[in-house]
Amino acid sequence: MLKVEGINVYYGAIHALKDLSITVNEGEIVTLIGANGAGKSTLLKTLSGLLKPKTGSVEFLDKSITNQSIQSIVKQGLIHCPEGRRVFANMSVEENLELGGYLQDSSSLPADFEKVYTTFPRLLERKKQLAGTLSGGEQQMLAMGRAMMGHPKLLLLDEPSMGLAPLLVQDIFRIIQEVNASGTTVLLVEQNAHQALKIAHRAYVLETGRVVLEGDAKELADSEEIKMAYLGH
Amino acid sequence: MKKLKLNKSFWFGIVFSLILYGIIRVLLTTGVLDDVAESTLILVCINVMLAVSLNLINGITGQFSIGHAGFMSIGAYVSAILTLNFDVPLVFALLIAGLVAALFGVLIGIPTLRLNGDYLAIATLGFGEIIRIVLLNTEYVGGASGLSGIPAETTWTIMFFFTLLTIVVINNFIRSSHGRACIAIRENEIAAEAMGINTTLYKVIAFSLGALFAGIAGGLSAHKFYVINPGSFNFLKSFEILVMVVLGGLGSTAGSILGAIVLTLLFTALQNTPELRMIIYSVILILMMIFRPKGLLGSTGLSFMKFGKKEAKPDDVISESSSS
């Protein structure tokens, strides 16, 4: 579904992604793990078009999206749910969701609302509330719901568990699995490697802009190397 | 996304404004309100146009621009030249002036709107000053002495209808899906971009739409006060407009209107004591910052029916169907 081949991304003089290649198959949850600064978020931003790679190619659904605009990438169903929630604080929950469906035909809105509210009943309770007044967990749900409004075929989630209480983290991961089960492929960036490896099918380990390990998530979770470096035991 | 239907509140607002217009028109013709009052009313309307259009850029789209006097001066000069040298009827001259200002808005907007916050403010401030200096050194438009003898054709009727047009167009823009996109940019540009909103496009649209009405307002002011010169469009003028917007409440059309009315009346009332004027002005601003940092009206939108009633929003239909 997604095929990234040998991309190099720079922030000015800083070489952030070095000849990086990954693939994501339809129906999978693939997780990217790695320390701060490994290039996980940079990769997601490159996929969604917020950053442009200097060399290399990105293919989505067998079509190159390497130099396409963000709008057309979003239209094709590759939706990025950015790090740090980034809800529209002075808009209501409902307005936030509506903007998530910005590029969709308005006739599909009611069904999309229905779907998001079924996945996140909490959002339905708060639909008239300003997004800025929601709790951290609710804001994360809203950010994910907003991304779902865009009919994602591939959903990029950047650190959905960041700064959330442990119980909520469990919730969020359960929801990611539900979303995946309903037919959305997920590419998940996580600091919480333990949880991420639990729900993912496959994983890539990034270090300073390169893929250093890849494979089956369960196997990686059991490997001594990963345990030492990321799981802390 | 849904297109906004013109609702009851909209028509109520129009009718209310027309009645207001009629009353003032009668008072003017019967002489209850004298020429000075008419001038003040026209000045209020010019400032309302400027404030509402700047609010679209600063308050709604969140792009901190302080070059509004630049667009105003373009409108003033273009329309004045058209009526003086080419005998173009005022209304057409104003529309052309607005379009030229909007064109400048696009030209200035495309490079500068990549900047954020302070940098954008400095760039737009610089733009305003460049326009002024260019006008100052152009023989054709009279250099430092500017243009004079501009026909004073701005009447209460013309002024009123252009002001109404400004408010209707900008307020409907804000409440359409395009306006929602602009607000999303203000709230969080990266998220807006990730949703597939073309942020550059909307910033430029907002910028040039604001410039359009600032240009028309400039033209109207030129045709009210006979004389224009580059000095009257310096950065202090830009700040004056900005203060009206901030005083009324950034992001609120009603606030901008109120801010423009309050400050213009205050300025006019204090005209005879210019020294005191700036002091009172500063004191008001300081008091505002302390007691109402969000402005007189906060960020409430403009709606005439909201007293005691929920504001009608374009998405009401959707919310009802989705909650059932």
Side-chain angles (χ1 to χ4, degrees), chain B residues 105-146:
Chain B
V106 174
L107 292 178
I108 308 296
I110 289 172
T112 56
L113 289 172
R114 294 159 180 270
L115 304 169
N116 286 320
D118 307 351
Y119 303 106
L120 177 66
I122 292 165
T124 50
L125 181 68
F127 154 72
E129 287 300 284
I130 290 169
I131 296 278
R132 190 174 66 82
I133 303 292
V134 168
L135 291 172
L136 198 62
N137 291 295
T138 308
E139 209 53 54
Y140 183 66
V141 295
S145 54

Side-chain angles (χ1 to χ4, degrees), chain B residues 5-33:
Chain B
K5 265 191 291 182
L6 299 179
N7 52 25
K8 254 190 194 162
S9 151
F10 172 80
W11 292 113
F12 186 81
I14 297 283
V15 170
F16 176 80
S17 315
L18 287 175
I19 292 171
L20 189 69
Y21 160 75
I23 293 172
I24 291 176
R25 181 97 178 85
V26 169
L27 290 179
L28 285 171
T29 41
T30 52
V32 179
L33 288 172

Side-chain angles (χ1 to χ4, degrees), chain A residues 180-221:
Chain A
N180 176 247
S182 72
T184 308
T185 312
V186 177
L187 180 57
L188 172 68
V189 159
E190 257 304 332
Q191 294 268 356
N192 190 338
H194 187 66
Q195 285 282 355
L197 288 172
K198 238 190 215 168
I199 65 160
H201 302 104
R202 290 190 306 117
Y204 289 88
V205 181
L206 264 58
E207 234 166 62
T208 59
R210 285 179 222 279
V211 173
V212 292
L213 263 179
E214 60 173 287
D216 185 86
K218 303 280 167 307
E219 282 170 24
L220 280 180

Side-chain angles (χ1 to χ4, degrees), chain B residues 51-65:
Chain B
V52 169
S53 59
L54 184 66
N55 180 51
L56 175 64
I57 303 171
N58 282 22
I60 301 295
T61 321
Q63 305 304 308
F64 201 78
S65 161

Side-chain angles (χ1 to χ4, degrees), chain B residues 37-47 154-156 159 224:
Chain B
E38 189 184 5
S39 289
T40 310
L41 279 169
I42 288 176
L43 194 60
V44 165
C45 285
I46 290 171
N47 284 333
T154 303
T155 59
W156 164 244
M159 192 62 234
K224 172 66 197 165

Side-chain angles (χ1 to χ4, degrees), chain A residues 26-48:
Chain A
E26 194 154 358
E28 281 186 318
I29 299 179
V30 174
T31 180
L32 300 168
I33 57 179
N36 286 333
K40 305 178 303 273
S41 299
T42 307
L43 176 57
L44 292 199
K45 283 182 195 156
T46 312
L47 298 180
S48 61

